[in-house]
Structures are given as C-alpha cells and as structure tokens.
C-alpha cells in the first residue's frame, strides 16, 4: 500500500495551525521561565510603586506560553496586556514583547492569525507612536525586531515541515521495503511450487512402482531424471533470489519442451496422451508461451497425482487473436490419499492467466477434469 506524501512546505502550510517540536517547546518554556523568574525577583527587590508593572510584565511573559496550545487565546491575552499597560506606563515593554512574538505566530499560526496579529501589531505601534511624540526611534526598533523575528519563525516552520515530510517518506519507504520482501517470498514460494513440486510428484509416483520388476528400470530412470531437474530448478531459484552474479541464463519456459516433458511423464504413469496443435507456432508471444508452459507442467503434476485410468488430451488452438489450451484427464473412481494436494497449483495457474489478461477455468465435465486457458495474442 502506498501512502501520500505532503509536499506543501513553505507558504502553503500557512493554511493550517502548526505545533512545536519537543525540543522547541523545551527551549520556549525555558526562556519564558527564565524571564518570569527575573520578573518575580524584580517584583521583590524593586520599590513598591513598581509592583503593578512587575505583575503586568510577568503576565505578559506568561501569555507567550499560551501560544504553545492556544494561539488565538494568547493573542487576545496579549491585546489585553497592551491595553492594561497604559495604566502602568509599560506599553513600550508590551510592544517589544509583541515584536518578538511575531516569530512565534509565524511558526505556529495559520494565515488568519498571522494577518490578524500583523494588523494588531502595526496598530499597537501606531498607537505608541501617536501617544508619545518622542517614540519615532522606538517604533523603528520594534519594526526591525519584528522583521527579524518573523522570518526566523517562518524558517523554523519550513524546517519542521521538511522534517515531517522526511519522516513520512521514511515510513513509506519502510512499508515498501516490507512489501517487497513479502512479494519476493511469495515469488520464491511460487517458483518452488511450480517447478520442484512437479518433479517431487514424479519421484513419489515412481517410487511406488519400484516393486514391479517390469517397469522398475523405467521408474528408476524417471526418478533419476526428476531428481536432477529438481536440483537444477532449485539452483535456478536460489540464483534468482541471490543478489550476486548469475551463472546461468534466466529460464522463462518453453511450451514445446513442456508439452513433450508432460507427455513423457504422463505416459510413464500409464496414461495414453493425445496432443494436438503446434506449441512452436510463431504467432505465440513469449508471455503466452511462458504462461501456457507453466499450465502444462502444473496440469501434468495434478494428472500424476489424481487422474484415473484413461486417455489424457492436450489441445492447443492458436489463431491471430488468441491462444487456447485445453487439458483433459479422466477423473479417478476414488480419490488418491497418498499424494495429497493443497489446491495451490490451481490458484497459481489462475493468477498467471488472469495476470496476462486471459481467461481460466478448471472443472469436472462429463467424467473428466478439464483445465482451460485462453490468452490474447493480438
């Protein structure tokens, strides 16, 4: 499963509220705590006449802690502190704090809060300038501080956004790697089933025939051949699963070879085989040949396990639009229990055909088991 990645750093992130990282919270709270400690010490060592100013200063500093949780509430509280500052004559201190607060607003607030805060800050600066004719220099200092504080807050916001995006990418990458490992395991299991399980079935079948002196030699040869092929297929699967250099070419399946091999194995088990159609037809695309070869081999495995006495037919029809394969085998009078089946083979055949945009069916028809596959070739 693929997860979306938010690529909206910068100005696009101003459309929503942000939260500080743990480190940022610790730093902000430490600074606020230090300033409030100084204000509290000042409250006790200063003359009694400045006690109200010290209390207002403590409250103003504490207001910035509200930005960590409720930016709008903090802004409203700062406006209230500014209004009360005219009573104690500390409006310049509150405006100075508000100019530093621009950075916090740019770091945390959405566009509506940023615009509201900017308007209120400029209004407060204008009010201070209007009420004190000698405040021209001070107004410039406030604007400079706000101009520096704002971009710093915005830069921290962008950096935080990039950090979140990187975390999301790492999570997605880990998920993709996990799925890739699972897919590789499923692929290896499928390859082992499609190739080695077939040869082991041949071995198991002919082991039961070793006691018959008339066919013992043929069975021994069949076992030797099947074991050799199983080892070759096992080495092939191991090489594909290995990241190292390949020592052999990738075997993708040969339909004519698969039909010949299936005929030989089925006839060795006592079933006459009738094969029609040309598996070397040049109109067959490679993907169709590979899929049909797998179906022939898997069907041969199932026939060796389950078929009753009688004739087996392999029919291949190829035209300019499609390739149709039909394999028929007689149903057994009683199910064989010495060679159990999990049904994985049928599922694998269906997956291969459907994956190649084809049609697949496997069913009992008129006392026979019929496997049919049709693949488009146009």
């Amino acid at each position: 499963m693929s997860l979306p990645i938010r690529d909206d750093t910068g100005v696009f992130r101003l459309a929503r509220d942000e939260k500080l990282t743990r480190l940022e919270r610790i730093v902000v709270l430490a600074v606020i705590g230090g300033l409030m400690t100084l204000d509290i010490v000042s409250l006790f060592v200063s003359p009694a006449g400045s006690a109200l100013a010290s209390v207002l200063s403590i409250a103003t500093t504490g207001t910035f802690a509200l930005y960590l949780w409720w930016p709008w509430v903090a802004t409203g509280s700062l406006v209230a502190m500014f209004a009360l500052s005219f009573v104690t004559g500390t409006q310049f201190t509150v405006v100075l704090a508000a100019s530093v607060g621009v950075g916090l607003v740019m770091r945390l607030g959405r566009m509506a809060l940023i615009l509201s805060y900017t308007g209120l800050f400029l209004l407060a600066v204008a009010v201070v300038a209007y009420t004190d004719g000698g405040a021209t220099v001070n107004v410039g200092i406030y604007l400079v501080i706000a101009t520096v504080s704002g971009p710093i807050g915005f830069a921290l916001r962008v950096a935080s956004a990039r950090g979140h995006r990187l975390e999301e990418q790492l999570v997605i990458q880990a998920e993709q790697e996990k799925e890739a490992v699972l897919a590789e395991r499923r692929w290896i299991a499928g390859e082992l089933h499609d190739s080695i399980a077939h040869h082991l079935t041949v071995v198991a079948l002919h082991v039961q025939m070793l006691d018959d002196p008339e066919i013992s030699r043929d069975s021994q040869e069949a076992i030797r051949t099947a074991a050799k092929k199983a080892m070759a297929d096992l080495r092939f699967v191991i090489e594909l699963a290995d990241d190292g250099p390949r020592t052999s070419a990738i075997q993708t399946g040969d339909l004519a070879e698969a039909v010949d091999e299936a005929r030989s194995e089925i006839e060795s088990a006592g079933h006459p085989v009738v094969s029609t159609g040309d598996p070397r037809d040049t109109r067959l695309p490679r993907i169709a040949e590979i899929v049909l070869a797998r179906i022939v081999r898997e069907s041969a495995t199932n026939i060796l396990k389950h078929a009753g006495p009688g004739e087996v037919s392999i029919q291949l029809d190829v035209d300019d639009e499609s390739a149709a394969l039909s394999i028929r085998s007689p149903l057994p009078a009683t199910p064989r229990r010495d060679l159990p089946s999990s049904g994985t083979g049928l599922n694998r055949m269906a997956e291969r055909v459907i994956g190649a945009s084809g049609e697949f069916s496997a069913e009992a028809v008129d006392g026979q088991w019929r496997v049919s596959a049709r693949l488009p070739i146009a």
Side-chain angles (χ1 to χ4, degrees), residues 327-338:
I327 302 176
R328 292 174 176 262
S329 60
L331 290 172
T334 58
R336 297 187 60 175
R337 302 188 182 279
D338 53 343

PDB file of all heavy atoms in Angstrom, residues 327-338:
ATOM      1  N   ILE A 327      -6.695 -29.041 -21.441  1.00  0.00           N
ATOM      2  CA  ILE A 327      -6.091 -30.297 -20.996  1.00  0.00           C
ATOM      3  C   ILE A 327      -7.169 -31.093 -20.264  1.00  0.00           C
ATOM      4  O   ILE A 327      -7.754 -30.617 -19.290  1.00  0.00           O
ATOM      5  CB  ILE A 327      -4.893 -30.030 -20.063  1.00  0.00           C
ATOM      6  CG1 ILE A 327      -3.842 -29.182 -20.782  1.00  0.00           C
ATOM      7  CG2 ILE A 327      -4.286 -31.349 -19.598  1.00  0.00           C
ATOM      8  CD1 ILE A 327      -2.671 -28.791 -19.907  1.00  0.00           C
ATOM      9  N   ARG A 328      -7.412 -32.308 -20.761  1.00  0.00           N
ATOM     10  CA  ARG A 328      -8.450 -33.163 -20.183  1.00  0.00           C
ATOM     11  C   ARG A 328      -7.816 -34.441 -19.636  1.00  0.00           C
ATOM     12  O   ARG A 328      -6.911 -35.003 -20.265  1.00  0.00           O
ATOM     13  CB  ARG A 328      -9.503 -33.525 -21.218  1.00  0.00           C
ATOM     14  CG  ARG A 328     -10.364 -32.349 -21.685  1.00  0.00           C
ATOM     15  CD  ARG A 328     -11.286 -32.785 -22.815  1.00  0.00           C
ATOM     16  NE  ARG A 328     -12.175 -31.712 -23.220  1.00  0.00           N
ATOM     17  CZ  ARG A 328     -13.434 -31.572 -22.808  1.00  0.00           C
ATOM     18  NH1 ARG A 328     -13.937 -32.463 -21.946  1.00  0.00           N
ATOM     19  NH2 ARG A 328     -14.176 -30.577 -23.222  1.00  0.00           N
ATOM     20  N   SER A 329      -8.303 -34.875 -18.500  1.00  0.00           N
ATOM     21  CA  SER A 329      -7.825 -36.123 -17.896  1.00  0.00           C
ATOM     22  C   SER A 329      -8.994 -36.811 -17.205  1.00  0.00           C
ATOM     23  O   SER A 329      -9.920 -36.142 -16.724  1.00  0.00           O
ATOM     24  CB  SER A 329      -6.697 -35.838 -16.896  1.00  0.00           C
ATOM     25  OG  SER A 329      -7.158 -34.981 -15.867  1.00  0.00           O
ATOM     26  N   PRO A 330      -8.988 -38.131 -17.144  1.00  0.00           N
ATOM     27  CA  PRO A 330     -10.108 -38.849 -16.510  1.00  0.00           C
ATOM     28  C   PRO A 330     -10.113 -38.661 -14.998  1.00  0.00           C
ATOM     29  O   PRO A 330      -9.063 -38.640 -14.352  1.00  0.00           O
ATOM     30  CB  PRO A 330      -9.856 -40.314 -16.887  1.00  0.00           C
ATOM     31  CG  PRO A 330      -8.380 -40.380 -17.148  1.00  0.00           C
ATOM     32  CD  PRO A 330      -7.993 -39.043 -17.705  1.00  0.00           C
ATOM     33  N   LEU A 331     -11.284 -38.497 -14.464  1.00  0.00           N
ATOM     34  CA  LEU A 331     -11.431 -38.379 -13.009  1.00  0.00           C
ATOM     35  C   LEU A 331     -11.240 -39.756 -12.366  1.00  0.00           C
ATOM     36  O   LEU A 331     -11.631 -40.782 -12.954  1.00  0.00           O
ATOM     37  CB  LEU A 331     -12.813 -37.830 -12.650  1.00  0.00           C
ATOM     38  CG  LEU A 331     -13.064 -36.360 -12.997  1.00  0.00           C
ATOM     39  CD1 LEU A 331     -14.530 -36.018 -12.772  1.00  0.00           C
ATOM     40  CD2 LEU A 331     -12.178 -35.454 -12.167  1.00  0.00           C
ATOM     41  N   PRO A 332     -10.659 -39.801 -11.180  1.00  0.00           N
ATOM     42  CA  PRO A 332     -10.462 -41.097 -10.516  1.00  0.00           C
ATOM     43  C   PRO A 332     -11.764 -41.621  -9.939  1.00  0.00           C
ATOM     44  O   PRO A 332     -12.660 -40.856  -9.576  1.00  0.00           O
ATOM     45  CB  PRO A 332      -9.457 -40.760  -9.410  1.00  0.00           C
ATOM     46  CG  PRO A 332      -9.740 -39.331  -9.083  1.00  0.00           C
ATOM     47  CD  PRO A 332     -10.128 -38.687 -10.393  1.00  0.00           C
ATOM     48  N   ALA A 333     -11.858 -42.941  -9.862  1.00  0.00           N
ATOM     49  CA  ALA A 333     -13.049 -43.539  -9.243  1.00  0.00           C
ATOM     50  C   ALA A 333     -13.088 -43.227  -7.759  1.00  0.00           C
ATOM     51  O   ALA A 333     -14.144 -42.943  -7.191  1.00  0.00           O
ATOM     52  CB  ALA A 333     -13.042 -45.049  -9.483  1.00  0.00           C
ATOM     53  N   THR A 334     -11.924 -43.274  -7.111  1.00  0.00           N
ATOM     54  CA  THR A 334     -11.794 -42.909  -5.690  1.00  0.00           C
ATOM     55  C   THR A 334     -10.600 -41.977  -5.549  1.00  0.00           C
ATOM     56  O   THR A 334      -9.568 -42.180  -6.205  1.00  0.00           O
ATOM     57  CB  THR A 334     -11.578 -44.144  -4.801  1.00  0.00           C
ATOM     58  OG1 THR A 334     -10.410 -44.838  -5.254  1.00  0.00           O
ATOM     59  CG2 THR A 334     -12.782 -45.061  -4.866  1.00  0.00           C
ATOM     60  N   PRO A 335     -10.686 -40.946  -4.724  1.00  0.00           N
ATOM     61  CA  PRO A 335      -9.575 -40.007  -4.562  1.00  0.00           C
ATOM     62  C   PRO A 335      -8.336 -40.687  -4.013  1.00  0.00           C
ATOM     63  O   PRO A 335      -8.424 -41.539  -3.132  1.00  0.00           O
ATOM     64  CB  PRO A 335     -10.128 -38.969  -3.567  1.00  0.00           C
ATOM     65  CG  PRO A 335     -11.606 -39.132  -3.609  1.00  0.00           C
ATOM     66  CD  PRO A 335     -11.858 -40.575  -3.910  1.00  0.00           C
ATOM     67  N   ARG A 336      -7.166 -40.319  -4.540  1.00  0.00           N
ATOM     68  CA  ARG A 336      -5.902 -40.830  -4.012  1.00  0.00           C
ATOM     69  C   ARG A 336      -5.512 -40.036  -2.774  1.00  0.00           C
ATOM     70  O   ARG A 336      -5.555 -38.813  -2.780  1.00  0.00           O
ATOM     71  CB  ARG A 336      -4.797 -40.721  -5.068  1.00  0.00           C
ATOM     72  CG  ARG A 336      -5.040 -41.553  -6.299  1.00  0.00           C
ATOM     73  CD  ARG A 336      -3.846 -41.520  -7.215  1.00  0.00           C
ATOM     74  NE  ARG A 336      -2.655 -42.038  -6.568  1.00  0.00           N
ATOM     75  CZ  ARG A 336      -1.495 -42.205  -7.188  1.00  0.00           C
ATOM     76  NH1 ARG A 336      -1.371 -41.917  -8.467  1.00  0.00           N
ATOM     77  NH2 ARG A 336      -0.448 -42.679  -6.541  1.00  0.00           N
ATOM     78  N   ARG A 337      -5.100 -40.745  -1.719  1.00  0.00           N
ATOM     79  CA  ARG A 337      -4.745 -40.077  -0.472  1.00  0.00           C
ATOM     80  C   ARG A 337      -3.251 -40.131  -0.192  1.00  0.00           C
ATOM     81  O   ARG A 337      -2.771 -39.520   0.759  1.00  0.00           O
ATOM     82  CB  ARG A 337      -5.506 -40.710   0.703  1.00  0.00           C
ATOM     83  CG  ARG A 337      -7.015 -40.640   0.515  1.00  0.00           C
ATOM     84  CD  ARG A 337      -7.756 -41.086   1.745  1.00  0.00           C
ATOM     85  NE  ARG A 337      -9.192 -41.056   1.540  1.00  0.00           N
ATOM     86  CZ  ARG A 337      -9.949 -39.969   1.627  1.00  0.00           C
ATOM     87  NH1 ARG A 337      -9.386 -38.819   1.907  1.00  0.00           N
ATOM     88  NH2 ARG A 337     -11.261 -40.038   1.427  1.00  0.00           N
ATOM     89  N   ASP A 338      -2.512 -40.877  -1.045  1.00  0.00           N
ATOM     90  CA  ASP A 338      -1.071 -40.975  -0.816  1.00  0.00           C
ATOM     91  C   ASP A 338      -0.326 -39.785  -1.396  1.00  0.00           C
ATOM     92  O   ASP A 338       0.815 -39.519  -1.046  1.00  0.00           O
ATOM     93  CB  ASP A 338      -0.514 -42.273  -1.419  1.00  0.00           C
ATOM     94  CG  ASP A 338      -0.896 -42.433  -2.891  1.00  0.00           C
ATOM     95  OD1 ASP A 338      -1.831 -41.723  -3.318  1.00  0.00           O
ATOM     96  OD2 ASP A 338      -0.274 -43.269  -3.574  1.00  0.00           O
TER      97      ASP A 338
END
